[in-house]
Amino acid sequence: EVQLLESGGGLVQPGGSLRLSCAASGFTFNTYAMTWVRQAPGKGLEWVSTISGSGSNTYFADSVKGRFTISRDNSKNTLHLQMNNLRAEDTAVYYCAKGDTVTENWFGPWGQGTLVTVSS
Amino acid sequence: SYDLTQPPSVSVSPGQTAIITCSGHKLGDKYSYWYQQKPGQSPVLVIYEDIRRPSGISERLSGSNSGNTATLTISGTQAMDEADYYCQAWDSNTAVFGGGTRLTV
């Protein structure tokens, strides 16, 4: 059974940094793309970033490009999202999701999410 | 940037067919995906590559995609289908979600 467990969320001041992690199990991690999707309170889903199985290809939404970095440690089956220069509008629940072996494809299953709050 | 447009809400009586649309420029040339999100829960993939259902998803859910519109159809709608539904597609190395449709049964 695929399991995804996010961690690292919390309260951070504007301009601050935070590193999210997603521990994966139940599948051959290095074979599949992984994605971060966020959801602001009461709002819809917003794609944040995707990384290929090998980690060699990364993709970012314009809203986070240059501020967020996605990475993965295939030896530890862990996905990361480094978030710098955080803004109030980055406040959201951040979900990690397993993708397909092809990067531009579906997202699923999803983790339970971790809440990031950017506020002074 | 690429946009996907969904109706904010759809209402259906139990047992009837619910149709949720997702519109985008030449969407039919891309794969469409659909996610179901119930209150307080994480999203669940319900349709991928326009028409395919993941294992465990009810046969009452079906998808199609042609021209500028992808469609999620839920036949024999039940109370358990009440949820937010999001379409998604890829364009120029960017994943895009529709704004979501709240299905009320």
Side-chain angles (χ1 to χ4, degrees):
Chain A
E1 178 190 6
V2 172
Q3 293 195 347
L4 300 169
L5 184 62
E6 302 94 335
S7 62
L11 175 63
V12 60
Q13 293 187 340
S17 297
L18 212 55
R19 189 192 197 205
L20 305 184
S21 297
C22 173
S25 62
F27 63 102
T28 306
F29 185 68
N30 62 10
T31 303
Y32 293 91
M34 295 294 295
T35 289
W36 290 98
V37 176
R38 68 185 181 184
Q39 186 170 33
K43 302 298 184 181
L45 302 176
E46 180 186 12
W47 173 75
V48 174
S49 182
T50 294
I51 186 168
S52 62
S54 66
S56 58
N57 295 304
T58 59
Y59 310 88
F60 296 93
D62 287 344
S63 58
V64 305
K65 203 170 293 183
R67 300 188 299 123
F68 289 13
T69 303
I70 191 171
S71 63
R72 62 192 298 159
D73 185 340
N74 285 344
S75 68
K76 296 182 179 179
N77 290 358
T78 304
L79 173 72
H80 300 289
L81 185 69
Q82 177 66 42
M83 305 185 295
N84 298 329
N85 190 19
L86 283 161
R87 307 166 179 167
E89 54 264 36
D90 295 317
T91 294
V93 173
Y94 285 73
Y95 297 100
C96 71
K98 173 182 173 289
D100 185 29
T101 54
V102 175
T103 302
E104 294 191 7
N105 218 325
W106 62 80
F107 307 138
W110 300 51
Q112 87 291 344
T114 187
L115 176 62
V116 172
T117 303
V118 183
S119 174
S120 55
Chain B
S1 64
Y2 192 78
D3 292 322
L4 293 174
T5 301
Q6 299 180 235
S9 63
V10 168
S11 183
V12 64
S13 300
Q16 299 301 304
T17 297
I19 297 175
I20 300 174
T21 59
C22 174
S23 298
H25 181 64
K26 295 186 176 180
L27 180 56
D29 293 343
K30 311 175 189 298
Y31 277 137
S32 62
Y33 309 90
W34 290 92
Y35 303 87
Q36 176 193 70
Q37 186 179 32
K38 296 183 179 181
Q41 298 184 19
S42 301
V44 173
L45 176 71
V46 294
I47 295 289
Y48 68 99
E49 295 178 352
D50 296 334
I51 61 173
R52 304 186 190 283
R53 272 188 312 276
S55 173
I57 300 301
S58 172
E59 293 181 354
R60 298 184 296 100
L61 277 66
S62 62
S64 63
N65 186 14
S66 179
N68 294 320
T69 304
T71 301
L72 174 68
T73 302
I74 306 174
S75 59
T77 306
Q78 302 176 5
M80 65 182 292
D81 299 320
E82 191 160 279
D84 293 328
Y85 291 85
Y86 296 90
C87 60
Q88 178 248 315
W90 282 87
D91 179 77
S92 301
N93 295 328
T94 298
V96 180
F97 284 97
T101 299
R102 175 150 297 177
L103 176 66
T104 300
V105 181

